[in-house]
Amino acid sequence: MANQEKDKKLLSVVVPVFNEKEVLDAFYKRIKNVGESLNSMNFEVLFVDDGSKDGSYQKLMDYAVSDENVKVIKFSRNFGHQVAITAGIDNAKGDAVVVIDADLQDPPEVITEFIEKWKEGYDVVYGVRERREGEGRLKLFTASLFYRVLKKLTHVEIPVDVGDFRLMSKQSVKVFKELREKDRFVRGLVSWLGFKQTGVYYHRDKRYAGETKYPLRKMIRFAIDGITSFSGFPLKLATWFGAITTIFAFAFMIIVITGKFMGYTIQGWASVMLSVLFLGGVQLICLGIVGEYIARIFEQIKQRPLYIIEEIIEEIKMGKNS
Ligand code: UDP
Ligand code: MG
């Protein structure tokens, strides 16, 4: 890399991109500014094109052609945000690796604060969302609830209100690469690694342009991934439900038997219907929970690769197009 100085450390910035044509120019400009302001470090940007269909890839190619510090990984199709982040981290060569969204919700300028902390000796520096702009009340409420429920359910210390905007040291990246689970909840995996971690508060802006790529359906899926990856508690719910209904059943049995001996029988249509429906519902829910875990075991056991790269564009100027 021509304009990279040998003795300086390298910062890799990983950016997942899925149909972000409207924001890419603005993002590239801002991240470039941040890169140029880092006097003490060399800088590379690694875009992961997660199967965009809106021409994002052509834009990324343009940056890569004119800027040798830009690298582009193109997936063969859409594999999802968490997998795109993983591919970026897998391919980053930096002494420190930052993950940032392309939509400018995470201000690139905060990276300089991350680097300060990293220089103090932290392995993971994550952004804590102090305020969030431009998100609906429902999203804010459900997100806040989700992080707190997850915290209760797991022994891993996953900080609340933290997304994937973070810096990781080379050492933490090295071990992160060994975690190949399929249904990925990256922020949890990074917490699970341990090492010295700290947070930096930041103000999460609204999306610069375009639409969120996380509709409700994907968000629910993501939340379930988070919980199932880090807690077996839902599996134990059946035991609790079972214990509680058994206690009720015993109490009810006494009433029924006494009634029988006292010589009165109750008509009982309503109570029978209610208990059948209630128990049917509870059983199906418990079965569904077991199904969620089995589906994940099934995905995992197939051992397919996490993602498929169609093309990697790097150092075009030097003709090394691998
Ligand atoms: N993204 C991706 N693949 C997907 C969905 C999203 O690479 O399948 C990228 C997207 O381009 C953005 C980041 O992940 O850079 C976060 O997505 P988004 O901003 O839509 O999520 P939100 O901030 O609304 O939760
Ligand atoms: Mg966003």
Side-chain angles (χ1 to χ4, degrees):
M1 291 196 175
N3 70 353
Q4 302 219 333
E5 294 166 41
K6 273 222 156 57
D7 50 335
K8 283 189 184 176
K9 300 239 180 204
L10 175 67
L11 174 76
S12 303
V13 178
V14 168
V15 194
V17 175
F18 179 49
N19 294 341
E20 300 286 10
K21 190 175 68 178
E22 300 98 327
V23 304
L24 282 176
D25 284 340
F27 174 81
Y28 177 59
K29 214 161 123 194
R30 260 175 79 182
I31 199 78
K32 249 344 247 179
N33 279 339
V34 171
E36 276 156 16
S37 72
L38 299 175
N39 298 320
S40 60
M41 291 184 93
N42 291 322
F43 181 73
E44 69 167 6
V45 187
L46 201 70
F47 289 103
V48 182
D49 177 30
D50 187 12
S52 300
K53 290 205 159 62
D54 69 341
S56 293
Y57 183 62
Q58 281 65 37
K59 271 195 181 292
L60 298 178
M61 284 280 282
D62 290 346
Y63 307 145
V65 169
S66 61
D67 182 345
E68 56 205 326
N69 299 327
V70 171
K71 203 165 148 180
V72 184
I73 294 174
K74 184 185 196 299
F75 276 176
S76 61
R77 63 168 170 85
N78 178 256
F79 280 90
H81 178 212
Q82 300 289 298
V83 175
I85 291 175
T86 306
I89 297 175
D90 287 345
N91 287 279
K93 301 204 172 72
D95 299 284
V97 178
V98 166
V99 174
I100 185 169
D101 286 352
D103 60 358
L104 289 173
Q105 280 197 287
D106 309 324
E109 296 72 25
V110 178
I111 294 175
T112 44
E113 290 177 52
F114 286 179
I115 292 174
E116 290 305 315
K117 291 279 176 197
W118 171 64
K119 285 185 177 160
E120 283 173 28
Y122 287 98
D123 284 285
V124 176
V125 189
Y126 48 80
V128 186
R129 300 158 175 180
E130 196 172 23
R131 277 182 56 196
R132 296 175 75 166
E133 301 268 338
E135 313 259 36
R137 267 166 193 246
L138 183 70
K139 176 146 184 178
L140 290 184
F141 173 71
T142 47
S144 162
L145 183 70
F146 166 69
Y147 288 119
R148 279 151 188 87
V149 169
L150 183 63
K151 200 179 166 76
K152 284 260 178 288
L153 290 184
T154 174
H155 300 300
V156 180
E157 272 193 41
I158 304 176
V160 295
D161 305 325
V162 169
D164 290 312
F165 183 31
R166 67 182 69 229
L167 177 145
M168 295 171 73
S169 69
K170 198 165 193 156
Q171 185 182 25
S172 60
V173 164
K174 185 165 172 258
V175 279
F176 178 80
K177 287 185 190 170
E178 288 169 23
L179 309 180
R180 302 317 280 177
E181 59 195 69
K182 278 286 291 177
D183 296 289
R184 302 177 77 74
F185 187 65
V186 171
R187 55 201 73 167
L189 293 175
V190 177
S191 302
W192 180 88
L193 295 177
F195 298 117
K196 256 182 106 185
Q197 308 212 0
T198 189
V200 165
Y201 283 92
Y202 78 104
H203 185 138
R204 188 155 161 98
D205 291 323
K206 53 172 178 287
R207 185 172 245 288
Y208 179 80
E211 304 235 305
T212 173
K213 308 300 176 302
Y214 266 98
L216 188 64
R217 183 179 49 81
K218 269 202 209 169
M219 245 164 52
I220 293 174
R221 177 110 229 119
F222 183 56
I224 298 178
D225 278 344
I227 290 172
T228 52
S229 302
F230 285 93
S231 172
F233 179 76
L235 284 172
K236 296 171 194 154
L237 276 178
T239 321
W240 286 103
F241 285 141
I244 294 165
T245 24
T246 312
I247 293 169
F248 272 106
F250 271 113
F252 200 62
M253 196 169 73
I254 293 169
I255 298 171
V256 171
I257 293 173
T258 338
K260 183 93 183 154
F261 282 116
M262 304 283 278
Y264 62 85
T265 39
I266 313 154
Q267 279 188 338
W269 184 80
S271 54
V272 169
M273 278 309 278
L274 278 180
S275 22
V276 167
L277 290 177
F278 174 74
L279 283 179
V282 169
Q283 283 170 1
L284 285 179
I285 291 174
C286 292
L287 206 58
I289 293 176
V290 177
E292 285 291 336
Y293 282 85
I294 293 182
R296 285 167 167 75
I297 300 172
F298 180 54
E299 279 304 318
Q300 192 66 37
I301 208 136
K302 285 189 272 191
Q303 293 206 330
R304 291 183 188 154
L306 282 179
Y307 50 83
I308 295 171
I309 294 180
E310 188 176 313
E311 210 173 4
I312 298 187
I313 313 293
E314 56 184 327
E315 299 181 43
I316 286 187
K317 277 193 172 163
M318 300 168 80
K320 267 197 257 162
N321 189 351
S322 55

